[in-house]
Amino acid sequence: MVIDTTRGVSREIASNPAACDEQRARISTDPFQNRDNQEIIDLIDQLLECGINKSIGIPQIVIVGDQSSGKSSLLQSLTDIPFPVGDGLCTRFPTQIVSRRARSGPETIKASIHERIFGKTPSPQIEAFARTLSGLTPAGFDELIKEASGILGVAQPDQPGFGTSKNFSTSTLRLEITGPGRTPFTVIDLPGLFHASTSSQTTSEITGIREIVQRYVSTPGTIIVAVANGLANAATQEIFEMARGYDEDGLRTVGVITKCDMVADAAEQTLKLAQNKTICLNKHGWFVVRNRSAKEMGEVGGRSITNEERHSRETKLFSEFPWTQLPETHRGVHALRDYLSTLLVQYSRSELPEIARNIQSLISRTRSELRVLGHSRDKGPRQRQFLQEITGQFQTAAESALSGHYSSSVLLGDSALKLRKRIVEANEKFANNMLTKGHMVEFKKLEKLSRDSAANTILPPEKFRSSNLQDPLASVKSSHLGFNQAPYSDTNWKLFFSNSQKDLPGDSVSTLAPNQRTTPSTIHPSIDGWIQEEIANNRGTELPGTPNPEVVPALFRRQTQGWALLAQEHLGAIQAIVRNSTMVLLGAICKDNAVLPRLQDRLLRFTIQPDEAAKEQLTALIQDVREKPLQTNNPLFGEKIQHARRLRFENALTRYLRSTGQLQLDGFESSVTRLDPLRLFDELHISNSENLVYEIHDTLKAYYDLAVVDFIEFVNKHIVERYVNSPDGPAKAFSPSWVGGLQDEELAELASESKETIAQRKQKETLLEKLTMAESILAGHNPGRPIE
């Protein structure tokens, strides 16, 4: 037969009833004649005593079942401790019984209370509760239960508040019994499940008890002793469904049927259950027991019988039909106790390597968590050191984020913390917004005419032809004009504008014939209308056709009205980026939830002065744009204006040559260009009013194009960069040197620990102490044969 050491039980049993009987027969012998088994149980008891079972699953036996299922009576029979039984709620908190065999000496009982929930700080009363007794009578045990209940805040049936105050607790009462006649044995009794609320049991307590039971039975390695009342239908008892949920294969579940002495009329039903015919527990099967009745406990006019008398009556019961149909190894409390003890040894032996690995892992994690919490900060020097460590890490990471050296800090993997990246993206967005949305109206686009831009032209009226072609310019060669030469042809007169009377592609200048031209505002109502309006509003002593010096500045101020809002939004976005990135960075560094909000508040204060300074600088810049004279020393200004004039001239000449038929799509018709001086004059010299509009437009556009770039560069390079690199800003001022200048009162205000942090550190230190002790216990176990 192959033994599965990962579970400590036979793989063959589940599928082979004969092997199952063999296993039951073998396991029922006293397991503690073997010294090694005794050491294993002692080892598990020591690990449980360390309290690490709150964090690591340690093999243990739990007794679970519905209320009034006979759990407490069973526990009394197993441990010889007079548990209170009878009406009312008996088990109101988990009770752990640790039975140990001593070589000699009197029997002693030690009582203590242990907090089960990890992370919950036990009260001083719980920590102080410790009792040592030389014996335990029913009355003495009842007093012990009441005292523990009072400390845990659990009301008893005969106490005020029962049914209205808390009736259950998750804390564990631990009873350690040591004596020469004791069988090494550890078992936990859990509160019984119930399903209906009453005057003494609330709906919330139904859920609370179920959660307590689930917490224990769900732990791997826990041996589940599921108790069924022999007088009730086991299929309706919740514990078996719960056990199947956490132990589907039944590897950890042992069934126990109580009150067998009272089931004479239902013996057949109970016998079927015990034979695995109702609820199948093939792995370990069912045990039948006979507990003390109420009369045998002295509660109903009788006397309390001894353990020997109880055992004698149980032996007599199960020696008779129909109980003799069951294996002897599964009849009676003694058989059950031996079986459970052996199972505990097997599970413990198989789980020890995993327990050792879990202890080492938890030690490492707990030490790491303690490093995060840091040393206790009950004094000024420790508080200052704590803040300097945080600000030092913060400053290093912030400088890396600001310089774009993200690989230098593991914290900067988060895109939200890549400060320089986000600033560059915001600057680019601002530049794009300024170039596309900064102006109030669109400027005209001035481009060189293409050869095919006058495809749909019409002949002009005859009166627009010139009859006098004797002007000396008529024979000017095109080489002087920069075009290929082509002969003048009277039949090739063509206009340069389309039938729709729109501008030809690539040109913003009116291309209508002289007597067909309208005002520029009719063709381009937006920018031309603005220019005409400003010319009219600024009429002064200037001669007709000449601009007033106030026109271009006034137009520039109107055209730049949107700059302020775009720049303010950009600065606000930069401030938000710096503020949010530094706050998130601080949160990634400071793990103390009490200290973090205080430091974040101080960090925000570092943004106030740079924020105001940046706003003042931007306000001054915008005021300069609106109020200061237009000035530039940029040579590109003159070049832009000259370029616009050149394009207008070239486009006008191109239109003239096309209108006369001397410029075809594939070039000039001949090497000689003949000019009509009057027509050429009309094309090259438009009216003073139109020319004035064009000159003002080109001047304004040239200046605006340069000014908007200068504005973008000044905002991004000077205002934004000065803000993000401010020595008084959050990215640089929140530093160890700032901490060094804090007074002791400020240090205490910022760095003092919360009660929760103090408690958390204490819990982790206590846990680490217990884990280290458990590690030492495991290391000392059987040193000649390592656990792993």
Side-chain angles (χ1 to χ4, degrees):
M1 182 173 65
V2 179
I3 301 297
D4 184 353
T5 57
T6 61
R7 288 295 182 184
V9 292
S10 170
R11 291 197 300 259
E12 184 180 342
I13 291 175
S15 59
N16 189 337
C20 181
D21 292 339
E22 178 187 345
Q23 171 76 347
R24 292 171 185 167
R26 181 184 62 79
I27 206 171
S28 64
T29 59
D30 185 358
F32 301 104
Q33 297 299 325
N34 184 308
R35 180 179 177 83
D36 187 54
N37 289 351
Q38 177 68 59
E39 290 179 354
I40 289 290
I41 291 297
D42 289 342
L43 178 64
I44 292 300
D45 287 344
Q46 292 177 57
L47 294 176
L48 289 171
E49 188 176 3
C50 290
I52 62 171
N53 57 309
K54 303 172 187 177
S55 310
I56 294 177
I58 303 296
Q60 55 189 340
I61 300 171
V62 297
I63 298 181
V64 292
D66 288 357
Q67 283 185 6
S68 303
S69 62
K71 291 189 309 82
S72 296
S73 296
L74 174 62
L75 193 61
Q76 180 176 354
S77 300
L78 285 170
T79 63
D80 296 333
I81 293 178
F83 274 81
V85 295
D87 296 334
L89 303 177
C90 301
T91 306
R92 309 183 184 287
F93 36 77
T95 304
Q96 182 185 39
I97 308 298
V98 179
S99 177
R100 289 181 174 174
R101 179 180 296 171
R103 293 184 178 180
S104 61
E107 185 172 272
T108 60
I109 300 174
K110 295 180 179 180
S112 58
I113 297 176
H114 296 262
E115 185 60 65
R116 169 69 186 179
I117 300 178
F118 177 70
K120 182 178 179 180
T121 305
S123 67
Q125 293 84 357
I126 290 178
E127 290 186 319
F129 181 83
R131 304 288 183 271
T132 301
L133 309 171
S134 57
L136 203 58
T137 64
F141 189 71
D142 188 56
E143 287 299 320
L144 181 65
I145 291 293
K146 288 182 178 179
E147 185 179 4
S149 298
I151 292 175
L152 295 175
V154 176
Q156 293 293 303
D158 59 349
Q159 293 177 336
F162 180 73
T164 58
S165 61
K166 184 175 70 171
N167 290 334
F168 298 94
S169 174
T170 58
S171 298
T172 301
L173 174 64
R174 175 185 169 92
L175 298 176
E176 181 183 332
I177 309 169
T178 307
R182 285 284 168 184
T183 297
F185 188 73
T186 300
V187 64
I188 296 177
D189 182 37
L190 299 180
L193 297 166
F194 61 95
H195 314 287
S197 58
T198 65
S199 59
S200 60
Q201 301 174 160
T202 65
T203 303
S204 63
E205 287 171 340
I206 294 176
T207 304
I209 292 298
R210 185 174 291 109
E211 290 176 350
I212 292 175
V213 175
Q214 287 175 337
R215 188 179 303 129
Y216 278 89
V217 301
S218 62
T219 303
T222 294
I223 299 171
I224 306 168
V225 180
V227 179
N229 182 350
L231 300 175
N233 185 355
T236 65
Q237 299 180 38
E238 182 182 1
I239 185 56
F240 298 102
E241 184 66 27
M242 185 183 296
R244 278 195 297 268
Y246 294 105
D247 182 31
E248 183 178 357
D249 297 328
L251 300 177
R252 300 185 287 114
T253 304
V254 178
V256 178
I257 305 171
T258 63
K259 303 183 181 181
C260 292
D261 55 325
M262 303 170 63
V263 297
D265 296 335
E268 183 178 353
Q269 176 182 332
T270 305
L271 198 63
K272 287 183 178 180
L273 179 63
Q275 291 173 332
N276 269 326
K277 294 179 179 179
T278 305
I279 298 177
C280 186
L281 298 175
N282 277 336
K283 195 67 174 177
H284 303 296
W286 290 86
F287 287 76
V288 290
V289 299
R290 180 194 186 281
N291 296 325
R292 293 173 177 85
S293 67
K295 183 177 181 180
E296 291 171 342
M297 293 181 184
E299 297 178 356
V300 188
R303 68 175 182 83
S304 178
I305 64 174
T306 65
N307 290 330
E308 289 74 15
E309 288 176 310
R310 187 215 65 80
H311 176 62
S312 176
R313 295 179 185 184
E314 182 182 60
T315 302
K316 183 177 181 300
L317 172 67
F318 293 133
S319 298
E320 299 174 353
F321 186 84
W323 306 111
T324 52
Q325 299 180 62
L326 301 175
E328 185 179 357
T329 56
H330 277 54
R331 302 198 307 255
V333 170
H334 285 183
L336 174 62
R337 182 168 54 196
D338 290 345
Y339 192 95
L340 293 177
S341 297
T342 302
L343 274 183
L344 183 60
V345 169
Q346 292 179 341
Y347 269 87
S348 300
R349 191 186 303 281
S350 66
E351 292 292 330
L352 280 179
E354 184 65 21
I355 291 173
R357 286 190 290 271
N358 289 339
I359 287 174
Q360 292 168 359
S361 175
L362 191 53
I363 286 175
S364 176
R365 185 165 73 248
T366 304
R367 284 174 175 165
S368 176
E369 292 170 348
L370 282 171
R371 283 194 296 270
V372 171
L373 290 175
H375 298 291
S376 174
R377 304 191 299 277
D378 56 346
K379 296 180 181 180
R382 289 183 176 179
Q383 293 170 352
R384 195 179 302 275
Q385 180 182 3
F386 170 73
L387 290 185
Q388 286 179 330
E389 289 175 356
I390 290 178
T391 54
Q393 295 179 50
F394 175 87
Q395 189 176 50
T396 300
E399 289 178 351
S400 297
L402 196 55
S403 62
H405 298 152
Y406 310 123
S407 61
S408 62
S409 175
V410 295
L411 298 173
L412 302 182
D414 186 351
S415 180
L417 298 179
K418 295 180 178 180
L419 188 53
R420 177 54 62 183
K421 169 182 174 292
R422 298 185 65 191
I423 290 172
V424 169
E425 290 173 347
N427 286 346
E428 291 174 346
K429 181 179 179 181
F430 169 64
N432 182 67
N433 286 340
M434 285 293 299
L435 294 175
T436 58
K437 304 175 184 178
H439 49 275
M440 301 303 293
V441 296
E442 291 288 344
F443 286 104
K444 298 178 182 179
K445 292 183 179 180
L446 185 61
E447 299 174 351
K448 188 172 183 179
L449 283 176
S450 61
R451 289 186 172 185
D452 58 349
S453 59
N456 298 319
T457 58
I458 60 173
L459 291 175
E462 287 295 325
K463 62 180 180 180
F464 291 120
R465 297 185 182 180
S466 174
S467 59
N468 182 10
L469 301 179
Q470 302 304 315
D471 189 271
L473 290 177
S475 59
V476 173
K477 294 184 182 289
S478 62
S479 58
H480 295 280
L481 299 176
F483 292 93
N484 292 328
Q485 296 176 349
Y488 176 78
S489 174
D490 225 14
T491 60
N492 287 329
W493 271 85
K494 293 183 180 179
L495 286 179
F496 45 83
F497 59 96
S498 65
N499 288 325
S500 62
Q501 296 187 349
K502 293 182 179 179
D503 286 343
L504 293 176
D507 191 10
S508 63
V509 183
S510 173
T511 55
L512 294 174
N515 67 335
Q516 293 176 312
R517 290 181 183 146
T518 58
T519 62
S521 60
T522 302
I523 302 172
H524 296 285
S526 296
I527 189 67
D528 287 350
W530 265 26
I531 294 174
Q532 292 281 20
E533 182 181 341
E534 288 300 330
I535 291 174
N537 289 337
N538 289 277
R539 294 290 296 274
T541 59
E542 71 279 359
L543 296 174
T546 60
N548 188 305
E550 297 295 326
V551 172
V552 173
L555 288 169
F556 181 76
R557 286 191 290 270
R558 293 179 68 176
Q559 191 70 308
T560 57
Q561 288 176 14
W563 287 14
L565 180 59
L566 291 175
Q568 289 164 357
E569 289 177 347
H570 176 48
L571 180 58
I574 292 293
Q575 291 169 338
I577 288 171
V578 173
R579 181 169 56 251
N580 295 338
S581 295
T582 53
M583 293 287 277
V584 173
L585 180 60
L586 179 58
I589 294 172
C590 180
K591 301 301 182 181
D592 191 314
N593 293 331
V595 173
L596 179 59
R598 306 172 200 161
L599 293 182
Q600 287 178 330
D601 178 69
R602 287 301 182 98
L603 188 65
L604 284 176
R605 299 185 192 181
F606 284 112
T607 66
I608 296 175
Q609 191 276 332
D611 281 0
E612 293 301 320
K615 289 177 182 177
E616 290 177 2
Q617 295 164 18
L618 182 57
T619 300
L621 176 62
I622 293 172
Q623 188 173 1
D624 288 347
V625 171
R626 289 175 175 171
E627 299 179 2
K628 294 297 178 65
L630 306 189
Q631 300 181 68
T632 180
N633 295 317
N634 193 329
L636 291 178
F637 175 69
E639 293 179 12
K640 281 177 170 290
I641 295 177
Q642 189 66 19
H643 177 70
R645 290 171 177 170
R646 184 181 300 110
L647 274 179
R648 292 185 187 280
F649 173 82
E650 291 181 2
N651 289 345
L653 186 57
T654 299
R655 285 191 295 271
Y656 167 76
L657 293 174
R658 281 181 180 161
S659 67
T660 61
Q662 299 179 77
L663 181 62
Q664 301 298 325
L665 296 181
D666 57 350
F668 285 95
E669 292 184 346
S670 67
S671 59
V672 178
T673 298
R674 302 188 64 186
L675 302 179
D676 180 345
L678 180 60
R679 179 68 185 203
L680 181 60
F681 179 82
D682 288 338
E683 290 296 339
L684 298 180
H685 298 278
I686 58 178
S687 67
N688 282 348
S689 59
E690 284 183 289
N691 189 62
L692 181 60
V693 170
Y694 296 153
E695 286 294 320
I696 291 175
H697 172 275
D698 295 345
T699 302
L700 175 64
K701 186 177 186 302
Y703 188 83
Y704 180 93
D705 287 347
L706 298 176
V708 71
V709 173
D710 288 344
F711 186 82
I712 294 169
E713 293 293 301
F714 192 92
V715 170
N716 285 343
K717 285 187 176 181
H718 300 285
I719 298 178
V720 168
E721 277 306 305
R722 189 177 293 121
Y723 171 77
V724 299
N725 284 288
S726 172
D728 300 323
K732 294 195 173 183
F734 191 74
S735 63
S737 60
W738 165 71
V739 176
L742 294 175
Q743 300 297 318
D744 290 343
E745 294 78 9
E746 293 178 289
L747 283 173
E749 178 186 349
L750 290 173
S752 60
E753 296 178 301
S754 65
K755 294 180 180 179
E756 291 77 10
T757 301
I758 294 173
Q760 190 178 17
R761 180 183 291 103
K762 184 177 179 180
Q763 290 166 4
K764 293 187 183 301
E765 289 174 344
T766 301
L767 175 60
L768 183 60
E769 182 181 351
K770 292 178 178 179
L771 290 169
T772 305
M773 184 186 303
E775 187 179 41
S776 300
I777 292 171
L778 287 175
H781 168 67
N782 203 355
R785 186 176 62 217
I787 293 174
E788 294 185 285

